Every structure is written in structure tokens, then in C-alpha cells.
Amino acid sequence: MRPSVLTLAVALVAASPVAARDLVEKATPAFHRELPNVPGKSLIAVTVDYPPGAASPPHRHARSAFIFAYVVSGAIVSQVDEGPRRVYRAGDSFYEDPGSRHLVSRNASSTEPARLLAVFVVDTDDKVLVTPEQQ
């Protein structure tokens, strides 16, 4: 439910230095539903708004989370695990397998905002959707 999505937003903001908080993304709950045909699983959607120059700290998602990400507007630079660092533009999508490390997630522009829709398929009992990496 909403606490898990709020945990995502709070964890990302808390992990960043006070002076850099204006350059951090804002996660907003969009949808949450337990899947009636897949017991123990839920579908959670979150919009992630990146102001110009904003970035997420490196993080991991819940171990059970399969994530589909769709760039709604702007452009996002992303690197998952040891894969290539890529720029995804509006209309592009990518995914993260369960247990992946999201090493880079940032707005590709220092002048324009960007928006991402992240859709999680996750164990219903997983309440923490993101854990910042220790640096």
C-alpha cells in the first residue's frame, strides 16, 4: 500500500546531502493493487519526477521486485548492474530484474525536467521498495 511507496521517497531523500536535495527526484504513488490471479504478488506504479540535473543515489529495489520503467517525458540516464549506461528518451522503456543494483538513474538534462513511470511486480509483503547503497 502507500507506506511502501512513501518509504521509497523518504529513503531516497534521506540518503542525499541537505544541499543536494533540490537535485533529487520526487517519487509519487500512482497505483497499488494486489494481483488476484497471482497470490502474494502486487502491482505498484510510481511516477518519478526528475528536476533538471536531478539524480537518484545508487540503490537496490526489493529482492522480489521486477520493474518495468517507461520514460514519460524528457530523457533519463540509467545503468543497471554492470550493464551499459544508456540514455532513454520519452517513449523508451527498460526493465530491472529482481535483485538488481540501480547504479545510475538521473535526468540527462541540466535544463529540462524528466518523468519516469516505474511499475513494480513485487511480493505483497515487501514494504521497502528501495534501499540506498552504502557509499
Side-chain angles (χ1 to χ4, degrees):
M1 295 170 99
R2 293 208 192 273
S4 61
V5 176
L6 291 176
T7 301
L8 166 72
V10 170
L12 289 174
V13 170
S16 59
V18 174
R21 287 194 181 167
D22 291 340
L23 295 178
V24 175
E25 82 294 335
K26 177 184 176 197
T28 305
F31 181 83
H32 180 267
R33 170 102 167 132
E34 289 185 26
L35 297 174
N37 61 334
V38 186
K41 294 288 186 181
S42 290
L43 184 74
I44 299 171
V46 178
T47 57
V48 184
D49 289 291
Y50 290 86
S56 303
H59 58 276
R60 289 184 183 271
H61 292 287
R63 282 217 164 283
S64 68
F66 176 84
I67 302 159
F68 168 78
Y70 177 81
V71 180
V72 176
S73 62
I76 303 289
V77 178
S78 182
Q79 180 183 5
V80 178
D81 291 326
E82 302 307 318
R85 189 174 293 194
R86 293 197 42 202
V87 176
Y88 296 93
R89 301 185 190 295
D92 291 341
S93 61
F94 61 94
Y95 66 90
E96 295 180 43
D97 285 324
S100 297
R101 292 175 61 219
H102 203 159
L103 300 174
V104 177
S105 183
R106 67 175 171 81
N107 188 336
S109 173
S110 61
T111 60
E112 299 295 324
R115 174 175 279 176
L116 177 75
L117 175 67
V119 180
F120 293 70
V121 176
V122 64
D123 288 349
T124 301
D125 293 340
D126 279 342
K127 301 302 180 200
V128 178
L129 295 180
V130 66
T131 303
E133 291 270 306
Q134 298 300 323
Q135 301 200 359

